[in-house]
């Protein structure tokens, strides 16, 4: 059960503040004697921890302060006379408790601010020392003075190294005498088992699975295998180092002065294994078809050798520098060691550049040969392969070599070593991040692909369309990419300082952000999104039940059913949004303020949208037009297919869709030709000569109407003489069909039949004579 004023872990907020105060005081006390980078890093992390404790305590106490304020507000202001004594005592007690909590909150905020400022000052001090270390200048390696100093201090430094060796040997032999060789040898055996047989077997197992039919199709086979090789190649050597050191720790075989060396041994093993695994997982010299990097076999084999050399040099340099620090050798030996390592790095990078230059030449020769062949055959020249990464890699390598050599010759050996090491580290991190980005993209798209096993299961269980599932895969890929890019940036900046300081802002964000006086935590936002999605899902289920199950059994027409389902749809959206906002802690009074603030914007910028929305509600409620009606708007006419709260969709005669804003249907004149089951009327007009038997013609027309199954008997068809003039009798007749949609087709059938009948009865149809008077230009 959580203690009052706690965050749920049982630790009260005042205790957190006290812990933060003690931790802050210890950092201040230890800061005066701290000079080493590692010590300052530890103190910076402790200061940041003090700030986190204080912020957590303030966050836990704030709800209690709000509760006391609410209770005091309910009691109201103190009356001068006539107030009950119990109310007075209760108010005084609440004010005392509120004052105590308010004092704790103020103390916590002040302590958090002090811890933040202390951490920033420590980081500035670390950065200053780091800059001073990189800018430290010694005699040039070409200067005899440096070698003379090295020769002078060499005997004493060798003695210190021998003393450190004797301590290590004495500690190991003493531990063996007390505990025997069993545990150290067992740790060594397990470490060798992890590095050699198990690592090789897991690599072979991954390659076998990637080549099997059970592996996913596409590029995911290659990226998945590369990630597997990266994990196996990085973790197993590092874990082996941990097991080996753990076996020595178990028998107390490591002297105190070598504790830091043992930790660096584990770290160096992980880093070196990571560098080697990044190269081997993407180069694959013996398997070009699985290679992710666009290079040929000779370059892959050479680069693999250089990668192993870089991993070995990284492991040796980290370990030797820490052994040198533990032996407390002279500064000149440290400088000479850094210079030797820096020059070795320069030689290694130059070898890599030579390999890349050879790759570039081979590509240029191949491109020229292909261009000659295509020119001889008359084909248009193909597109040359892109090698932008190759140009950037060579340019970066040349700049690194130049900067390291110049820094070494000028005596800035620490700077030269730092430049060379950072070049390697940036290359390894960029390659690993690129690989993981490809793998995340392939995995997300394969996992949520419509044809995959998981995708089919998801579609069958939720009814999600294939396009929506693919969109989810793209969004998942984007989220994974963002996380991987942040992790890559963190890995790149980690060697420059305290990595925990980089995540300080992220931890502050995770603890909550105050927006408009309301604290929003990521967990609250997450649950609000879950509630919103759940509410929308429930709304869709209810709407589907209405459309498919209940509404068809009510006897309502299609327009009424559409109105009910549409209103239910938007009402469900509103309820889901309100439920989600309530989960965020945003009350209805804040929504009212937001609505009043948006009213001005709605009045000016969203007037048309609001008008269409209100018109849509009127259409759904009054239903002057409904789904299935045949309407005429201006010169266009068609069937109403869908009515939403913003627009109405009308399918016209050419099967295209006319989208009309709802305000047009409310404010303008519309002809609804199917309201109240309106019939369709057919009109036939023609003229015959004056001597025609009109009685026979009238019977002929009525027989044509009666023979057509679409023409209604009631109202009965009718035939009229419209006029007699100019030797012509004008006939006008009418017939009715069930709906206006049948008018055009039925009228065409009646005209076909009329032409056949009048031809069979030798009745001539005539049109008024058109007389045109033409003047001869010669008569003018």
């Amino acid at each position: 059960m959580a203690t009052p004023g706690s965050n749920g872990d049982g630790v009260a907020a005042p205790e957190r503040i006290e812990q933060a105060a003690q931790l802050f005081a210890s950092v201040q006390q230890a800061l005066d004697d701290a000079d080493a980078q590692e010590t300052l890093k530890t103190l910076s992390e402790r200061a940041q921890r003090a700030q986190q404790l204080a912020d957590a305590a303030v966050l836990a106490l704030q709800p209690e302060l709000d509760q006391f304020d609410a209770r005091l507000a309910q009691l109201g202001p103190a009356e001068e006379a006539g107030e009950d004594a119990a109310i007075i005592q209760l108010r005084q007690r609440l004010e005392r408790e509120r004052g105590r909590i308010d004092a704790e909150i103020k103390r916590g905020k002040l302590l958090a601010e002090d811890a933040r400022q202390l951490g920033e000052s420590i980081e500035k001090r670390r950065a200053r020392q780091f800059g001073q270390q990189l800018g430290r200048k010694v005699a040039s390696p070409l200067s005899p003075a440096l070698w003379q100093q090295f020769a002078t201090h060499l005997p004493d430094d060798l003695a210190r190294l021998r003393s450190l060796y004797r301590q290590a040997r004495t500690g190991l032999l003493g531990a063996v005498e007390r505990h025997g060789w069993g545990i150290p040898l067992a740790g060594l055996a397990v470490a060798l088992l992890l590095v050699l047989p198990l690592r090789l077997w897991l690599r072979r197992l991954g390659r076998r699975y990637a080549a099997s039919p059970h592996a996913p199709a596409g590029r995911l086979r290659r990226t998945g295998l590369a990630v597997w090789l990266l994990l196996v190649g990085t973790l197993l050597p590092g874990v082996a180092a941990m097991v080996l050191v753990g076996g020595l720790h178990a028998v107390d075989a490591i002297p105190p002065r070598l504790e830091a060396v043992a930790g660096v041994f584990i770290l160096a093993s992980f880093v070196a294994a990571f560098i080697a695994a990044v190269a081997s997982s993407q180069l694959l010299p013996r398997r070009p078809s699985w290679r992710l990097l666009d290079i040929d076999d000779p370059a892959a084999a050479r680069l693999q050798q250089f990668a192993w050399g870089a991993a070995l040099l990284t492991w040796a340099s980290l370990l030797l520098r820490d052994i040198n620090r533990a032996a407390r050798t002279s500064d000149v030996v440290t400088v000479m060691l850094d210079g030797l390592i820096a020059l070795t790095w320069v030689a290694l990078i130059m070898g890599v550049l030579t390999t890349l230059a050879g790759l570039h030449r081979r590509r240029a020769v191949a491109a020229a040969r292909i261009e000659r062949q295509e020119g001889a055959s008359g084909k248009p020249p193909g597109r040359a392969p892109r090698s932008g990464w190759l140009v950037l890699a060579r340019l970066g390598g040349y700049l690194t070599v130049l900067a390291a050599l110049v820094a070494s010759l000028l005596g800035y050996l620490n700077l030269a070593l730092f430049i060379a090491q950072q070049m390697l580290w940036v290359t390894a991190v960029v390659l690993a991040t690129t690989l993981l980005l490809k793998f995340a993209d392939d995995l997300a798209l394969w996992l949520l692909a419509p044809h995959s096993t998981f995708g089919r299961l998801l579609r069958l269980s939720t009814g999600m369309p294939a396009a929506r599932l693919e969109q989810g895969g793209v969004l998942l890929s984007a989220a994974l990419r963002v996380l991987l890019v942040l992790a890559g940036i963190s890995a790149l900046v980690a060697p420059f300082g305290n990595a925990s300081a980089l995540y300080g802002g992220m931890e502050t964000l995770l603890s909550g952000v105050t927006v408009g006086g309301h604290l929003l935590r990521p967990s609250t936002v997450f649950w609000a999104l879950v509630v919103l999605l759940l509410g929308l899902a429930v709304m869709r289920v209810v709407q589907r039940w209405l459309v498919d199950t209940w509404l068809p059994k009510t006897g309502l027409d299609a327009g009424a059913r559409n109105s009910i389902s549409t209103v239910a749809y938007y009402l469900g959206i509103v309820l889901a949004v309100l439920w989600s906002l309530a989960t965020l802690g945003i009350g209805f009074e804040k929504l009212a303020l937001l609505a009043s603030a948006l009213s001005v914007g709605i009045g000016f910028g969203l007037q048309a949208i609001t008008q269409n929305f209100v018109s849509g509600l009127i259409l759904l409620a009054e239903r002057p037009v409904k789904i299935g009606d045949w309407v005429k708007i201006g010169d266009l006419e068609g069937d109403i297919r869908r009515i939403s709260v913003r627009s109405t969709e009308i399918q016209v005669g050419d099967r295209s869709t006319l989208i009309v804003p709802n305000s047009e249907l409310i404010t303008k004149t519309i002809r609804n030709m199917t309201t109240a089951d309106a019939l369709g009327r057919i009109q036939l007009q023609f003229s015959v000569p004056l001597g025609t038997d009109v009685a026979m013609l009238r019977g002929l027309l009525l027989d044509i109407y009666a023979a057509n199954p679409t023409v209604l008997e009631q109202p009965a068809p009718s035939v009229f003489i419209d006029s007699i003039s100019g030797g012509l009798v004008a006939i006008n007749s009418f017939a009715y069909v069930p709906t206006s949609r049948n008018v055009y087709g039925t009228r065409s059938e009646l005209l076909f039949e009329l032409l056949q009948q009048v031809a069979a009865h030798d009745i001539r149809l005539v049109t008024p004579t058109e007389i045109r008077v033409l003047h001869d230009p010669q008569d003018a």
Side-chain angles (χ1 to χ4, degrees):
M1 183 176 181
T3 306
S6 67
N7 281 346
D9 55 0
V11 180
E15 296 180 7
R16 290 179 179 272
I17 295 178
E18 191 61 34
Q19 292 176 4
Q22 295 177 1
L23 192 58
F24 177 76
S26 65
V27 172
Q28 280 186 318
Q29 184 178 2
L31 187 59
D32 296 334
D33 300 329
D35 292 327
Q37 284 282 322
E38 290 77 11
T39 306
L40 291 176
K41 177 181 178 181
T42 303
L43 293 179
S44 177
E45 292 175 348
R46 293 173 66 185
Q48 186 179 0
R49 177 58 181 166
Q51 178 187 354
Q52 293 172 355
L53 288 173
D55 287 334
V58 171
L59 190 64
L61 288 173
Q62 188 61 46
E64 292 190 16
L65 183 64
D66 296 337
Q67 291 178 4
F68 278 107
D69 288 337
R71 296 177 66 183
L72 288 172
Q74 290 178 353
L75 292 178
E79 300 179 2
E80 297 182 357
E83 190 174 26
D84 186 60
I87 299 297
I88 295 175
Q89 293 178 359
L90 178 60
R91 182 183 290 107
Q92 292 176 352
R93 183 175 63 83
L94 291 177
E95 289 178 349
R96 287 195 302 270
E97 292 295 329
R98 185 196 179 282
R100 180 184 61 81
I101 294 177
D102 185 58
E104 291 289 343
I105 290 177
K106 292 179 179 178
R107 182 191 176 196
K109 290 182 178 179
L110 180 61
L111 185 59
E113 181 63 22
D114 291 340
R116 185 187 64 81
Q117 294 180 0
L118 181 61
E120 289 180 355
S121 64
I122 294 174
E123 287 301 318
K124 291 180 181 178
R125 185 173 174 181
R126 289 188 66 218
R128 186 169 57 254
Q129 287 189 1
F130 185 69
Q132 291 175 356
Q133 182 181 359
L134 292 181
R136 187 175 61 179
K137 186 178 184 301
V138 296
S140 172
L142 301 179
S143 174
L146 181 62
W147 295 98
Q148 185 177 0
Q149 293 178 8
F150 175 71
T152 303
H153 293 84
L154 183 58
D156 294 337
D157 294 331
L158 291 177
R160 293 188 179 95
L161 291 173
R162 285 193 293 268
S163 175
L164 184 65
Y165 169 73
R166 286 194 296 269
Q167 290 185 23
R169 184 173 181 274
T170 303
L172 177 60
L173 294 178
V176 169
E177 290 179 359
R178 292 189 303 270
H179 304 283
W181 285 96
I183 296 179
L185 290 179
L188 178 61
V190 173
L192 292 176
L193 180 65
L194 290 173
V195 171
L196 295 177
L198 183 59
R199 183 177 65 88
L200 297 178
W201 179 77
L202 289 177
R203 287 171 58 89
R204 191 178 301 111
L205 180 64
R207 288 194 293 265
R208 187 183 302 118
Y209 176 76
S212 67
H214 304 289
R219 195 181 64 173
L220 184 58
R221 287 174 178 260
R222 299 196 299 163
T223 56
L225 175 61
V227 171
W228 173 256
L229 296 178
L230 176 61
L231 292 176
V232 171
T234 301
L235 294 178
L236 290 183
V239 173
M242 293 177 62
V243 171
L244 183 60
V245 173
L248 296 177
H249 271 301
V251 295
D252 296 329
I254 301 178
R257 287 183 62 181
L258 291 175
E259 287 287 346
V261 177
V264 172
F265 172 75
I266 297 175
L267 175 63
S269 300
F270 272 109
V271 174
F274 170 72
I275 294 173
V278 166
S280 62
S281 62
Q282 300 190 59
L283 292 175
L284 298 173
R286 300 179 181 178
R287 295 174 176 83
S289 60
W290 294 89
R291 188 178 304 143
L292 293 175
L293 295 179
D294 185 18
I295 56 178
D296 54 16
D297 293 343
R302 292 289 303 277
L303 291 177
Q304 177 80 344
Q305 297 174 1
F306 286 123
W308 280 101
L312 181 60
L313 182 58
T314 300
W315 183 84
S317 61
L318 291 175
L319 199 59
L320 288 176
R321 294 187 72 188
D322 206 73
I323 291 175
N324 187 46
R325 188 182 301 111
R328 301 184 180 93
T329 57
S330 60
D331 293 339
V332 67
V333 172
T334 303
V335 169
M336 292 296 294
L337 178 62
D338 293 345
L340 179 62
I341 296 174
L343 293 176
T344 308
W345 276 117
V346 169
L348 185 64
I349 296 174
M350 290 180 66
V352 173
L353 292 176
T354 303
T355 302
L356 295 180
L359 174 62
H360 182 72
R361 286 193 301 270
R362 289 192 295 273
R363 283 189 171 183
V365 171
R369 183 174 60 254
I370 293 175
E371 185 177 357
R372 288 194 301 269
Q373 293 175 356
E374 291 178 347
S377 61
K379 297 181 180 179
R383 188 176 181 180
R386 296 180 298 177
S387 57
W389 68 270
L390 186 57
V391 175
L392 291 177
R394 294 180 64 191
L395 179 61
Y398 288 133
L399 293 177
T400 301
V401 170
L402 179 62
L405 286 177
V406 171
S408 300
L409 294 177
L410 294 179
Y412 297 99
L413 298 180
N414 288 333
L415 178 60
L417 178 61
F418 177 78
I419 292 174
Q421 288 181 338
Q422 288 309 306
M423 177 64 185
L424 171 71
W425 180 247
V426 168
T427 303
V429 172
V430 168
L431 287 176
T433 305
T434 305
L435 169 61
L436 293 178
L437 289 176
K438 294 178 182 178
F439 173 71
D441 186 49
D442 296 340
L443 180 63
L445 296 180
W446 170 80
L447 186 64
L448 295 181
H451 58 273
S452 66
T453 303
F454 182 76
R456 287 196 298 268
L457 179 62
L458 198 60
R459 290 180 61 189
L460 291 176
S461 59
T462 62
M464 185 180 300
R468 191 67 55 83
L469 197 64
E470 292 178 349
Q471 293 173 8
V474 174
L475 292 177
L476 178 60
S477 172
L480 293 176
R481 283 171 169 264
V482 170
L483 294 177
L484 290 173
V485 169
L486 291 177
I489 294 174
S490 303
L492 288 177
V493 303
F496 294 93
N498 186 5
S500 60
L502 180 66
Y503 299 102
M506 297 180 61
E507 293 180 357
T508 303
L509 181 63
L510 292 176
S511 62
V513 177
T514 302
V515 178
H518 184 74
L519 182 65
L520 294 180
R521 298 187 181 91
S523 58
T524 307
V525 175
F526 171 76
W527 286 115
L529 291 176
V530 171
V531 166
L532 178 62
L533 295 177
L534 181 61
L536 294 178
V538 171
M539 175 269 300
R540 295 298 297 269
V541 171
V542 172
Q543 187 197 26
R544 188 176 302 171
W545 176 78
L546 285 174
V547 174
D548 297 339
T549 305
W550 185 68
L551 289 177
K553 295 180 174 60
T554 58
L556 298 173
D557 55 58
R561 295 200 299 268
N562 174 75
S563 299
I564 295 174
S565 63
T566 304
V567 171
Y569 174 77
Y570 288 103
L571 181 61
I573 291 179
V574 171
L575 292 177
V577 171
L578 293 177
W579 188 15
S580 176
L581 293 176
T583 306
L584 282 175
I586 300 177
F588 292 102
E589 68 281 358
K590 296 182 180 179
L591 292 179
L593 293 175
L594 179 63
S596 63
L598 292 177
S599 61
V600 178
I602 292 175
F604 289 98
L606 304 178
Q607 183 178 3
I609 296 178
T610 306
Q611 183 181 8
N612 290 324
F613 180 80
V614 175
S615 301
L617 296 179
I618 295 175
L619 288 176
L620 293 173
E622 295 185 357
R623 298 200 300 143
V625 294
K626 58 185 182 297
I627 292 179
D629 284 353
W630 182 273
V631 298
K632 184 174 183 180
I633 303 177
D635 296 334
L636 298 175
E637 60 182 31
D639 284 310
I640 294 180
R641 295 302 185 189
R642 182 174 179 270
I643 300 177
S644 65
V645 294
R646 192 195 66 83
S647 62
T648 298
E649 297 179 4
I650 301 176
Q651 188 178 52
V652 295
D654 59 356
R655 314 303 292 178
S656 63
T657 300
L658 181 67
I659 300 177
V660 181
N662 289 330
S663 59
E664 298 286 325
L665 302 178
I666 296 296
T667 59
K668 294 187 177 181
T669 302
I670 299 175
R671 182 182 179 185
N672 192 339
M673 294 181 289
T674 54
T675 301
D677 295 330
L679 302 179
R681 191 183 73 164
I682 299 175
Q683 181 181 12
L684 299 182
Q685 291 178 301
F686 57 94
S687 297
V688 294
L690 185 60
T692 304
D693 188 353
V694 291
M696 183 187 67
L697 179 61
R698 182 175 181 272
L700 183 64
L701 276 174
L702 292 178
D703 291 340
I704 291 174
Y705 287 140
N708 194 296
T710 310
V711 177
L712 297 176
E713 296 180 0
Q714 292 294 332
S718 57
V719 180
F720 302 96
I721 296 179
D722 190 65
S723 64
I724 302 175
S725 63
L728 298 177
V729 179
I731 304 298
N732 195 2
S733 64
F734 300 94
Y736 294 90
V737 291
T739 175
S740 298
R741 296 184 182 86
N742 297 336
V743 170
Y744 191 82
T746 305
R747 184 172 181 270
S748 175
E749 294 176 359
L750 294 174
L751 289 174
F752 273 113
E753 185 64 23
L754 174 64
L755 293 175
Q756 293 178 1
Q757 292 295 332
V758 297
H761 292 81
D762 196 21
I763 299 176
R764 292 187 303 125
L765 301 180
V766 297
T767 57
T769 304
E770 181 180 1
I771 301 176
R772 295 185 181 182
V773 179
L774 302 177
H775 297 278
D776 191 353
Q778 296 179 357
D779 297 338

